[in-house]
Amino acid sequence: MRLDPFELTAVDIAGVDVEALHALSVGVGWPHRADDWRLLIDLGQGVAALDEIGRVLGSAMWFPQAEAFATVGMVITSPRLQARGAGAWLTGAVLAAAGDRPIGLNATRAATRLYHGLGFRAERPVFQHQGEVGPAPGDGGLASGTLPAGAMPQGTLSRDAEPADLPALVALDAAAFGAARPAVLRRLLALSQGRVLVRDGRVEAFALRRPFGRGAVIGPVVASGDAEAVAVTRPLMALPDGGFLRLDTRQAEGDFPAFLSRCGLPLHDTVETMSRGRPWLRPGRPGAAPTTYGLASQALG
Ligand SMILES: CC(C)(COP(=O)(O)OP(=O)(O)OC[C@H]1O[C@@H](n2cnc3c(N)ncnc32)[C@H](O)[C@@H]1OP(=O)(O)O)[C@@H](O)C(=O)NCCC(=O)NCCS
C-alpha cells in the first residue's frame, strides 16, 4: 500500500475558490468565515497549494502594509500534508514575493519552529482574549482605581468614529504599528463600528469592532495608556444581541487585560510575534506614546 503521494502546485490565491480556502482553515480549527478570507485576499497577496485534481491543501499570504514593511499570515497546510515541508515551501514563496521588506508575523505554537527555520526571531507574545458577552456593557472601572466604572480620563470625551476620522486613525495607528497603512485602515473603518477619544479637539485614541469568525473582533485599538484604551474599548464591548467577542493584545498585565477578563473575555490562547529583517515592536512600556492595545487581526498585526 502506498499512501499520500502528494504532487502540489502553487497558484495565485486570488484565483482560488474562497469556499475551498474556508474549508482549509476550518480543517485546522480556525474561526475565519468566507468573508474574513475575502477581506484578507483584498488586502494582501499569496499562494495556495493545489493537488493534482485541484483540491486546496495549503495557503500562505503576505500583506504589503507599507512600502517598507509587510506581515505574513494565513499560513496553513492541511493536516494530512503537515510535517512534509509544504509549510516552509509556501512561506518561502510569499517571502520571496515580499522581496527585501522587513517582515512581521504572529506565529501559532505549531508554526514557531517553521519560522525560526526561515530566519525569524521571537519578540513578544500576543494574548488572545475571547468569550461570550451580553447586551450590557462590561465593568468599565480599572482595578487600579485610577478610572471608576463609566468615567473618562480627565479632559477627554468619547464619541463614535466617523469616516472623517480616517487621517487621525491612520496617524495614530502608524505611530503604534511602525508603518502607515491607510488602505488597511480605510477598509477596516468602513467595515467597523468605532469609538474615538478626543482631547482638546484632537483624536488621541480609537477602537474598531467588526464582524469576524464566531462573532466580532475588536481591533485595532490604539491608545497611549490603559485608561484611554479602556475608554474606547468599553462602549464596543456590548453586543445588542449578545454573542462572541475577541480581542488580541500584547498587554500581559495591568488594567487593560484585567478589564477584558472582567468583561467576559478571558485569556484563550497565546501566539508569538516574530520578525525578520529588523525588530518590529518598540521596546518599552505603553503610556507615553500611541500603543497597539488590540490587533486588527493576527494576520494583519
Ligand atoms: C504550522 C503549519 C503551517 C506548518 O506546516 P507544515 O507543512 O507542517 O510545515 P513543514 O513541514 O514545512 O515544517 C516546518 C518545520 O516545522 C516542523 N514541524 C512541522 N510540524 C510539526 C509539529 N507538529 N511539531 C513540531 N514541529 C513540527 C518541521 O519539522 C519543520 O522543522 P525543520 O525545518 O526544523 O525540519 C501547519 O502545522 C498548520 O497549518 N498548522 C495549523 C495552522 C497554523 O497554526 N498556521 C500557522 C499560522 S502562524
Side-chain angles (χ1 to χ4, degrees), residues 183-221:
V184 172
L185 266 291
R186 181 178 302 112
R187 192 66 198 276
L188 295 180
L189 181 59
L191 285 173
S192 302
Q193 195 178 334
R195 293 292 284 188
V196 297
L197 178 133
V198 181
R199 180 182 277 122
D200 296 332
R202 274 195 324 273
V203 173
E204 293 200 341
F206 73 92
L208 301 180
R209 184 187 75 205
R210 66 180 192 281
F212 171 82
R214 295 167 60 187
V217 63
I218 298 182
V221 180

mmCIF file of all heavy atoms in Angstrom, residues 183-221:
data_model
loop_
_atom_site.group_PDB
_atom_site.id
_atom_site.type_symbol
_atom_site.label_atom_id
_atom_site.label_comp_id
_atom_site.label_asym_id
_atom_site.label_seq_id
_atom_site.Cartn_x
_atom_site.Cartn_y
_atom_site.Cartn_z
ATOM 1 N N ALA A 183 -4.563 52.122 3.459
ATOM 2 C CA ALA A 183 -5.517 51.261 2.747
ATOM 3 C C ALA A 183 -6.187 50.282 3.717
ATOM 4 O O ALA A 183 -7.400 50.041 3.653
ATOM 5 C CB ALA A 183 -4.800 50.503 1.629
ATOM 6 N N VAL A 184 -5.394 49.741 4.632
ATOM 7 C CA VAL A 184 -5.942 48.787 5.603
ATOM 8 C C VAL A 184 -6.929 49.498 6.531
ATOM 9 O O VAL A 184 -8.048 49.022 6.761
ATOM 10 C CB VAL A 184 -4.798 48.129 6.417
ATOM 11 C CG1 VAL A 184 -5.347 47.278 7.554
ATOM 12 C CG2 VAL A 184 -3.896 47.308 5.507
ATOM 13 N N LEU A 185 -6.529 50.670 7.021
ATOM 14 C CA LEU A 185 -7.399 51.399 7.962
ATOM 15 C C LEU A 185 -8.688 51.852 7.283
ATOM 16 O O LEU A 185 -9.768 51.801 7.890
ATOM 17 C CB LEU A 185 -6.644 52.592 8.541
ATOM 18 C CG LEU A 185 -5.919 52.380 9.876
ATOM 19 C CD1 LEU A 185 -6.912 52.205 11.006
ATOM 20 C CD2 LEU A 185 -4.980 51.167 9.844
ATOM 21 N N ARG A 186 -8.580 52.301 6.038
ATOM 22 C CA ARG A 186 -9.790 52.749 5.325
ATOM 23 C C ARG A 186 -10.783 51.600 5.230
ATOM 24 O O ARG A 186 -11.976 51.744 5.496
ATOM 25 C CB ARG A 186 -9.426 53.259 3.923
ATOM 26 C CG ARG A 186 -10.654 53.763 3.142
ATOM 27 C CD ARG A 186 -10.320 54.320 1.779
ATOM 28 N NE ARG A 186 -9.369 55.419 1.863
ATOM 29 C CZ ARG A 186 -8.113 55.380 1.417
ATOM 30 N NH1 ARG A 186 -7.649 54.271 0.847
ATOM 31 N NH2 ARG A 186 -7.315 56.421 1.528
ATOM 32 N N ARG A 187 -10.266 50.426 4.863
ATOM 33 C CA ARG A 187 -11.129 49.255 4.700
ATOM 34 C C ARG A 187 -11.748 48.821 6.040
ATOM 35 O O ARG A 187 -12.936 48.527 6.129
ATOM 36 C CB ARG A 187 -10.274 48.137 4.097
ATOM 37 C CG ARG A 187 -11.049 46.978 3.604
ATOM 38 C CD ARG A 187 -11.921 47.381 2.424
ATOM 39 N NE ARG A 187 -12.957 46.404 2.216
ATOM 40 C CZ ARG A 187 -12.785 45.281 1.520
ATOM 41 N NH1 ARG A 187 -11.652 45.059 0.924
ATOM 42 N NH2 ARG A 187 -13.763 44.417 1.396
ATOM 43 N N LEU A 188 -10.926 48.813 7.082
ATOM 44 C CA LEU A 188 -11.434 48.375 8.393
ATOM 45 C C LEU A 188 -12.455 49.360 8.949
ATOM 46 O O LEU A 188 -13.484 48.961 9.505
ATOM 47 C CB LEU A 188 -10.278 48.195 9.379
ATOM 48 C CG LEU A 188 -9.282 47.082 9.050
ATOM 49 C CD1 LEU A 188 -8.187 47.024 10.111
ATOM 50 C CD2 LEU A 188 -9.972 45.731 8.928
ATOM 51 N N LEU A 189 -12.190 50.656 8.777
ATOM 52 C CA LEU A 189 -13.125 51.663 9.295
ATOM 53 C C LEU A 189 -14.487 51.524 8.613
ATOM 54 O O LEU A 189 -15.534 51.624 9.261
ATOM 55 C CB LEU A 189 -12.545 53.067 9.086
ATOM 56 C CG LEU A 189 -13.397 54.244 9.597
ATOM 57 C CD1 LEU A 189 -13.674 54.137 11.089
ATOM 58 C CD2 LEU A 189 -12.701 55.584 9.297
ATOM 59 N N ALA A 190 -14.466 51.240 7.304
ATOM 60 C CA ALA A 190 -15.732 51.096 6.571
ATOM 61 C C ALA A 190 -16.533 49.884 7.054
ATOM 62 O O ALA A 190 -17.762 49.883 7.009
ATOM 63 C CB ALA A 190 -15.441 50.980 5.075
ATOM 64 N N LEU A 191 -15.823 48.861 7.546
ATOM 65 C CA LEU A 191 -16.496 47.621 7.969
ATOM 66 C C LEU A 191 -16.885 47.638 9.437
ATOM 67 O O LEU A 191 -17.557 46.734 9.910
ATOM 68 C CB LEU A 191 -15.531 46.442 7.806
ATOM 69 C CG LEU A 191 -15.249 45.907 6.424
ATOM 70 C CD1 LEU A 191 -14.140 44.866 6.519
ATOM 71 C CD2 LEU A 191 -16.508 45.278 5.850
ATOM 72 N N SER A 192 -16.409 48.642 10.174
ATOM 73 C CA SER A 192 -16.438 48.578 11.634
ATOM 74 C C SER A 192 -17.347 49.619 12.259
ATOM 75 O O SER A 192 -17.628 50.669 11.678
ATOM 76 C CB SER A 192 -15.025 48.813 12.195
ATOM 77 O OG SER A 192 -14.112 47.881 11.712
ATOM 78 N N GLN A 193 -17.708 49.296 13.497
ATOM 79 C CA GLN A 193 -18.243 50.301 14.402
ATOM 80 C C GLN A 193 -17.044 50.770 15.225
ATOM 81 O O GLN A 193 -16.230 49.934 15.651
ATOM 82 C CB GLN A 193 -19.265 49.618 15.296
ATOM 83 C CG GLN A 193 -20.163 50.554 16.027
ATOM 84 C CD GLN A 193 -21.163 49.757 16.858
ATOM 85 O OE1 GLN A 193 -21.496 48.624 16.550
ATOM 86 N NE2 GLN A 193 -21.603 50.367 17.941
ATOM 87 N N GLY A 194 -16.916 52.078 15.441
ATOM 88 C CA GLY A 194 -15.708 52.532 16.132
ATOM 89 C C GLY A 194 -15.982 53.591 17.171
ATOM 90 O O GLY A 194 -17.034 54.244 17.168
ATOM 91 N N ARG A 195 -15.046 53.738 18.105
ATOM 92 C CA ARG A 195 -15.081 54.813 19.097
ATOM 93 C C ARG A 195 -13.746 55.541 19.076
ATOM 94 O O ARG A 195 -12.692 54.915 18.895
ATOM 95 C CB ARG A 195 -15.288 54.262 20.510
ATOM 96 C CG ARG A 195 -16.627 53.635 20.744
ATOM 97 C CD ARG A 195 -17.768 54.635 20.713
ATOM 98 N NE ARG A 195 -17.860 55.458 21.911
ATOM 99 C CZ ARG A 195 -18.865 56.287 22.155
ATOM 100 N NH1 ARG A 195 -19.861 56.430 21.269
ATOM 101 N NH2 ARG A 195 -18.881 56.997 23.261
ATOM 102 N N VAL A 196 -13.812 56.854 19.243
ATOM 103 C CA VAL A 196 -12.581 57.636 19.353
ATOM 104 C C VAL A 196 -12.613 58.397 20.676
ATOM 105 O O VAL A 196 -13.685 58.709 21.204
ATOM 106 C CB VAL A 196 -12.410 58.632 18.179
ATOM 107 C CG1 VAL A 196 -12.293 57.886 16.859
ATOM 108 C CG2 VAL A 196 -13.542 59.651 18.122
ATOM 109 N N LEU A 197 -11.426 58.673 21.198
ATOM 110 C CA LEU A 197 -11.276 59.503 22.395
ATOM 111 C C LEU A 197 -10.705 60.840 21.940
ATOM 112 O O LEU A 197 -9.712 60.879 21.205
ATOM 113 C CB LEU A 197 -10.350 58.806 23.384
ATOM 114 C CG LEU A 197 -10.045 59.570 24.672
ATOM 115 C CD1 LEU A 197 -10.200 58.641 25.873
ATOM 116 C CD2 LEU A 197 -8.632 60.134 24.636
ATOM 117 N N VAL A 198 -11.367 61.912 22.351
ATOM 118 C CA VAL A 198 -10.992 63.248 21.894
ATOM 119 C C VAL A 198 -10.522 64.081 23.086
ATOM 120 O O VAL A 198 -11.169 64.101 24.132
ATOM 121 C CB VAL A 198 -12.204 63.946 21.224
ATOM 122 C CG1 VAL A 198 -11.820 65.334 20.718
ATOM 123 C CG2 VAL A 198 -12.745 63.093 20.082
ATOM 124 N N ARG A 199 -9.367 64.738 22.895
ATOM 125 C CA ARG A 199 -8.854 65.668 23.917
ATOM 126 C C ARG A 199 -8.489 66.960 23.190
ATOM 127 O O ARG A 199 -7.757 66.922 22.202
ATOM 128 C CB ARG A 199 -7.635 65.070 24.615
ATOM 129 C CG ARG A 199 -7.055 65.983 25.701
ATOM 130 C CD ARG A 199 -5.820 65.392 26.353
ATOM 131 N NE ARG A 199 -6.138 64.432 27.407
ATOM 132 C CZ ARG A 199 -5.743 63.163 27.436
ATOM 133 N NH1 ARG A 199 -5.034 62.671 26.455
ATOM 134 N NH2 ARG A 199 -6.063 62.370 28.444
ATOM 135 N N ASP A 200 -9.022 68.063 23.671
ATOM 136 C CA ASP A 200 -8.770 69.367 23.027
ATOM 137 C C ASP A 200 -9.043 69.316 21.524
ATOM 138 O O ASP A 200 -8.266 69.854 20.724
ATOM 139 C CB ASP A 200 -7.305 69.814 23.262
ATOM 140 C CG ASP A 200 -7.035 70.047 24.742
ATOM 141 O OD1 ASP A 200 -7.987 70.381 25.475
ATOM 142 O OD2 ASP A 200 -5.877 69.882 25.160
ATOM 143 N N GLY A 201 -10.095 68.627 21.143
ATOM 144 C CA GLY A 201 -10.469 68.584 19.732
ATOM 145 C C GLY A 201 -9.645 67.613 18.899
ATOM 146 O O GLY A 201 -9.897 67.464 17.699
ATOM 147 N N ARG A 202 -8.655 66.961 19.499
ATOM 148 C CA ARG A 202 -7.814 66.014 18.752
ATOM 149 C C ARG A 202 -8.180 64.580 19.103
ATOM 150 O O ARG A 202 -8.390 64.248 20.267
ATOM 151 C CB ARG A 202 -6.335 66.217 19.109
ATOM 152 C CG ARG A 202 -5.609 67.287 18.315
ATOM 153 C CD ARG A 202 -4.087 67.137 18.481
ATOM 154 N NE ARG A 202 -3.703 66.707 19.814
ATOM 155 C CZ ARG A 202 -3.493 67.537 20.837
ATOM 156 N NH1 ARG A 202 -3.640 68.837 20.666
ATOM 157 N NH2 ARG A 202 -3.125 67.063 22.006
ATOM 158 N N VAL A 203 -8.222 63.704 18.066
ATOM 159 C CA VAL A 203 -8.451 62.280 18.309
ATOM 160 C C VAL A 203 -7.150 61.678 18.835
ATOM 161 O O VAL A 203 -6.116 61.739 18.162
ATOM 162 C CB VAL A 203 -8.894 61.572 17.011
ATOM 163 C CG1 VAL A 203 -8.953 60.061 17.229
ATOM 164 C CG2 VAL A 203 -10.241 62.101 16.555
ATOM 165 N N GLU A 204 -7.193 61.123 20.048
ATOM 166 C CA GLU A 204 -5.959 60.622 20.669
ATOM 167 C C GLU A 204 -5.972 59.117 20.924
ATOM 168 O O GLU A 204 -4.972 58.562 21.360
ATOM 169 C CB GLU A 204 -5.690 61.374 21.977
ATOM 170 C CG GLU A 204 -5.357 62.832 21.706
ATOM 171 C CD GLU A 204 -4.629 63.504 22.847
ATOM 172 O OE1 GLU A 204 -4.688 62.977 23.976
ATOM 173 O OE2 GLU A 204 -4.026 64.557 22.595
ATOM 174 N N ALA A 205 -7.117 58.466 20.687
ATOM 175 C CA ALA A 205 -7.171 57.006 20.840
ATOM 176 C C ALA A 205 -8.388 56.522 20.058
ATOM 177 O O ALA A 205 -9.327 57.291 19.830
ATOM 178 C CB ALA A 205 -7.291 56.609 22.312
ATOM 179 N N PHE A 206 -8.361 55.259 19.637
ATOM 180 C CA PHE A 206 -9.542 54.715 18.946
ATOM 181 C C PHE A 206 -9.593 53.203 19.095
ATOM 182 O O PHE A 206 -8.598 52.540 19.396
ATOM 183 C CB PHE A 206 -9.558 55.098 17.461
ATOM 184 C CG PHE A 206 -8.549 54.355 16.614
ATOM 185 C CD1 PHE A 206 -8.895 53.177 15.964
ATOM 186 C CD2 PHE A 206 -7.259 54.828 16.472
ATOM 187 C CE1 PHE A 206 -7.972 52.479 15.182
ATOM 188 C CE2 PHE A 206 -6.320 54.152 15.699
ATOM 189 C CZ PHE A 206 -6.684 52.973 15.063
ATOM 190 N N ALA A 207 -10.803 52.678 18.870
ATOM 191 C CA ALA A 207 -11.017 51.228 18.816
ATOM 192 C C ALA A 207 -12.065 50.957 17.749
ATOM 193 O O ALA A 207 -13.023 51.724 17.599
ATOM 194 C CB ALA A 207 -11.497 50.697 20.169
ATOM 195 N N LEU A 208 -11.867 49.882 16.987
ATOM 196 C CA LEU A 208 -12.829 49.480 15.957
ATOM 197 C C LEU A 208 -13.317 48.063 16.257
ATOM 198 O O LEU A 208 -12.542 47.228 16.739
ATOM 199 C CB LEU A 208 -12.171 49.494 14.566
ATOM 200 C CG LEU A 208 -11.575 50.814 14.065
ATOM 201 C CD1 LEU A 208 -10.971 50.622 12.664
ATOM 202 C CD2 LEU A 208 -12.628 51.908 14.031
ATOM 203 N N ARG A 209 -14.594 47.791 15.952
ATOM 204 C CA ARG A 209 -15.139 46.433 16.090
ATOM 205 C C ARG A 209 -15.835 46.029 14.799
ATOM 206 O O ARG A 209 -16.657 46.770 14.275
ATOM 207 C CB ARG A 209 -16.150 46.363 17.236
ATOM 208 C CG ARG A 209 -16.652 44.925 17.458
ATOM 209 C CD ARG A 209 -17.772 44.841 18.479
ATOM 210 N NE ARG A 209 -19.028 45.317 17.923
ATOM 211 C CZ ARG A 209 -20.031 45.806 18.656
ATOM 212 N NH1 ARG A 209 -19.925 45.894 19.955
ATOM 213 N NH2 ARG A 209 -21.138 46.211 18.077
ATOM 214 N N ARG A 210 -15.505 44.855 14.291
ATOM 215 C CA ARG A 210 -16.140 44.390 13.047
ATOM 216 C C ARG A 210 -16.523 42.912 13.185
ATOM 217 O O ARG A 210 -15.980 42.199 14.027
ATOM 218 C CB ARG A 210 -15.191 44.567 11.853
ATOM 219 C CG ARG A 210 -13.970 43.690 11.911
ATOM 220 C CD ARG A 210 -13.024 43.882 10.719
ATOM 221 N NE ARG A 210 -12.019 42.846 10.677
ATOM 222 C CZ ARG A 210 -10.926 42.788 11.425
ATOM 223 N NH1 ARG A 210 -10.693 43.737 12.297
ATOM 224 N NH2 ARG A 210 -10.068 41.788 11.311
ATOM 225 N N PRO A 211 -17.432 42.439 12.336
ATOM 226 C CA PRO A 211 -17.760 41.017 12.362
ATOM 227 C C PRO A 211 -16.524 40.189 12.021
ATOM 228 O O PRO A 211 -15.735 40.578 11.160
ATOM 229 C CB PRO A 211 -18.821 40.866 11.266
ATOM 230 C CG PRO A 211 -19.362 42.237 11.058
ATOM 231 C CD PRO A 211 -18.230 43.176 11.339
ATOM 232 N N PHE A 212 -16.345 39.094 12.691
ATOM 233 C CA PHE A 212 -15.208 38.200 12.418
ATOM 234 C C PHE A 212 -15.502 36.847 13.047
ATOM 235 O O PHE A 212 -15.981 36.779 14.185
ATOM 236 C CB PHE A 212 -13.899 38.764 12.993
ATOM 237 C CG PHE A 212 -12.754 37.783 12.920
ATOM 238 C CD1 PHE A 212 -12.033 37.625 11.741
ATOM 239 C CD2 PHE A 212 -12.421 36.984 14.016
ATOM 240 C CE1 PHE A 212 -11.001 36.696 11.657
ATOM 241 C CE2 PHE A 212 -11.384 36.055 13.939
ATOM 242 C CZ PHE A 212 -10.678 35.917 12.761
ATOM 243 N N GLY A 213 -15.160 35.803 12.343
ATOM 244 C CA GLY A 213 -15.185 34.463 12.919
ATOM 245 C C GLY A 213 -16.521 34.121 13.560
ATOM 246 O O GLY A 213 -17.582 34.272 12.961
ATOM 247 N N ARG A 214 -16.466 33.705 14.820
ATOM 248 C CA ARG A 214 -17.685 33.258 15.520
ATOM 249 C C ARG A 214 -18.571 34.410 15.944
ATOM 250 O O ARG A 214 -19.670 34.188 16.449
ATOM 251 C CB ARG A 214 -17.285 32.463 16.765
ATOM 252 C CG ARG A 214 -16.553 31.174 16.451
ATOM 253 C CD ARG A 214 -15.905 30.587 17.703
ATOM 254 N NE ARG A 214 -16.881 30.273 18.745
ATOM 255 C CZ ARG A 214 -16.535 29.873 19.970
ATOM 256 N NH1 ARG A 214 -15.264 29.762 20.300
ATOM 257 N NH2 ARG A 214 -17.468 29.606 20.862
ATOM 258 N N GLY A 215 -18.097 35.664 15.817
ATOM 259 C CA GLY A 215 -18.898 36.807 16.256
ATOM 260 C C GLY A 215 -18.292 38.103 15.765
ATOM 261 O O GLY A 215 -18.489 38.501 14.625
ATOM 262 N N ALA A 216 -17.533 38.742 16.652
ATOM 263 C CA ALA A 216 -16.924 40.020 16.292
ATOM 264 C C ALA A 216 -15.539 40.104 16.920
ATOM 265 O O ALA A 216 -15.235 39.407 17.895
ATOM 266 C CB ALA A 216 -17.787 41.169 16.804
ATOM 267 N N VAL A 217 -14.690 40.965 16.317
ATOM 268 C CA VAL A 217 -13.367 41.214 16.879
ATOM 269 C C VAL A 217 -13.237 42.710 17.124
ATOM 270 O O VAL A 217 -13.723 43.521 16.329
ATOM 271 C CB VAL A 217 -12.253 40.692 15.938
ATOM 272 C CG1 VAL A 217 -12.249 41.412 14.599
ATOM 273 C CG2 VAL A 217 -10.874 40.820 16.588
ATOM 274 N N ILE A 218 -12.629 43.074 18.250
ATOM 275 C CA ILE A 218 -12.292 44.475 18.498
ATOM 276 C C ILE A 218 -10.816 44.664 18.165
ATOM 277 O O ILE A 218 -9.948 44.006 18.732
ATOM 278 C CB ILE A 218 -12.579 44.882 19.960
ATOM 279 C CG1 ILE A 218 -14.069 44.743 20.256
ATOM 280 C CG2 ILE A 218 -12.118 46.321 20.210
ATOM 281 C CD1 ILE A 218 -14.475 45.154 21.663
ATOM 282 N N GLY A 219 -10.533 45.524 17.193
ATOM 283 C CA GLY A 219 -9.170 45.816 16.785
ATOM 284 C C GLY A 219 -9.182 46.503 15.427
ATOM 285 O O GLY A 219 -10.113 46.279 14.661
ATOM 286 N N PRO A 220 -8.238 47.384 15.137
ATOM 287 C CA PRO A 220 -7.198 47.770 16.071
ATOM 288 C C PRO A 220 -7.748 48.629 17.213
ATOM 289 O O PRO A 220 -8.770 49.288 17.063
ATOM 290 C CB PRO A 220 -6.234 48.594 15.221
ATOM 291 C CG PRO A 220 -6.785 48.686 13.850
ATOM 292 C CD PRO A 220 -8.109 48.031 13.834
ATOM 293 N N VAL A 221 -7.005 48.570 18.332
ATOM 294 C CA VAL A 221 -7.207 49.507 19.442
ATOM 295 C C VAL A 221 -5.866 50.216 19.631
ATOM 296 O O VAL A 221 -4.853 49.547 19.832
ATOM 297 C CB VAL A 221 -7.591 48.787 20.755
ATOM 298 C CG1 VAL A 221 -7.784 49.809 21.877
ATOM 299 C CG2 VAL A 221 -8.847 47.942 20.585
#
